[in-house]
Amino acid sequence: DAEITQSPRHKITETGRQVTLACHQTWNHNNMFWYRQDLGHGLRLIHYSYGVQDTNKGEVSDGYSVSRSNTEDLPLTLESAASSQTSVYFCASSESRDGHNIQYFGAGTRLSVL
Amino acid sequence: QKEVEQNSGPLSVPEGAIASLNCTYSDRGSQSFFWYRQYSGKSPELIMSIYSNGDKEDGRFTAQLNKASQYVSLLIRDSQPSDSATYLCAVNDYGFNKFYFGSGTKLNVKP
């Protein structure tokens, strides 16, 4: 079955280290998204991509970067991890169906920055 | 900034009752509306979508949309303890293909 997978599921790192979270989807969706979810803030958009070589900043992009070299993958990199980036990170992809976009989520990565 | 507002709850209902979850949105250009269910420690799961004014029913779930009032709701009939979760409202503007989420309403269904 087609799906969207995130790895690792859990990660503990230290302040200042570079961290990359992987997202891989087999639906062949052009549109992919990264969110973070924190108590009291809901889902906040970090970066998104509408296709290969396309990346865009979301509302909380500072300290994060993404690259899109193929349709299947959108890795999220924390250049220098900070304690404020401790969060749960969700990757999502969307498809267009009957003129509407529908979004599906991966299982999430729980990141702790110590 | 496009906003989606939900009452954070918790909303407590007894088993078998109707749970009513509400959501308002700020952007009149929004065209697609969704309800996601999120169990604690899990990812959001799409349970309902609605695109036109009125009601849409799927099993025990009914989504209601009123674009004039910029209001969307989710009714859960015959609520079960397994419905206890956080429900996220999301809206989408097709032209920009970005999704805006509310912060979620926590539902507790008591046996």
Side-chain angles (χ1 to χ4, degrees):
Chain A
D1 287 341
E3 60 181 357
I4 181 167
T5 57
Q6 293 185 234
S7 62
R9 294 294 316 279
H10 302 272
K11 174 76 175 178
I12 300 175
T13 191
E14 296 177 344
T15 301
R17 290 190 179 270
Q18 184 180 80
V19 177
T20 296
L21 309 182
C23 177
H24 179 82
Q25 52 99 3
T26 58
W27 285 309
N28 203 35
H29 291 167
N30 285 322
N31 306 317
M32 296 183 72
F33 308 80
W34 274 104
Y35 297 89
R36 61 179 288 176
Q37 188 175 41
D38 307 284
L39 281 174
H41 289 280
L43 285 164
R44 291 186 289 175
L45 184 62
I46 305 171
H47 282 286
Y48 57 102
S49 169
Y50 291 155
V52 176
Q53 301 302 328
D54 176 75
T55 61
N56 305 280
K57 294 181 179 180
E59 60 179 307
V60 290
S61 60
D62 287 349
Y64 303 94
S65 63
V66 294
S67 61
R68 188 87 181 273
S69 59
N70 58 53
T71 300
E72 296 81 14
D73 298 289
L74 186 70
L76 177 71
T77 297
L78 287 68
E79 302 293 345
S80 177
S83 57
S84 60
Q85 294 177 308
T86 293
S87 186
V88 180
Y89 291 86
F90 290 105
C91 180
S93 67
S94 72
E95 65 171 353
S96 293
R97 191 191 306 170
D98 300 327
H100 296 274
N101 299 311
I102 301 175
Q103 190 166 84
Y104 303 96
F105 286 84
T109 294
R110 184 174 296 275
L111 176 67
S112 297
V113 183
L114 305 179
Chain B
Q1 178 70 14
K2 301 179 183 180
E3 295 185 348
V4 179
E5 299 288 341
Q6 295 181 255
N7 188 321
S8 61
L11 173 66
S12 293
V13 300
E15 184 174 356
I18 296 176
S20 178
L21 306 167
N22 305 314
C23 171
T24 59
Y25 60 95
S26 64
D27 181 20
R28 288 191 174 274
S30 300
Q31 300 169 313
S32 311
F33 306 86
F34 307 91
W35 285 99
Y36 288 81
R37 177 177 63 199
Q38 187 175 25
Y39 292 115
S40 181
K42 302 295 184 181
S43 62
E45 172 193 12
L46 180 65
I47 57 171
M48 288 290 287
S49 60
I50 187 167
Y51 310 133
S52 303
N53 280 329
D55 295 357
K56 179 182 178 182
E57 185 175 318
D58 184 0
R60 296 186 295 111
F61 298 99
T62 298
Q64 299 175 317
L65 176 62
N66 184 325
K67 290 186 178 180
S69 299
Q70 296 175 243
Y71 178 91
V72 59
S73 65
L74 179 70
L75 300 178
I76 306 175
R77 291 182 300 281
D78 187 24
S79 296
Q80 301 297 309
S82 59
D83 294 325
S84 297
T86 297
Y87 290 80
L88 303 174
C89 174
V91 303
N92 174 245
D93 178 351
Y94 184 81
F96 293 100
N97 196 10
K98 287 174 69 174
F99 294 77
Y100 299 90
F101 288 83
S103 56
T105 298
K106 185 175 177 61
L107 173 67
N108 291 327
V109 181
K110 298 182 177 180

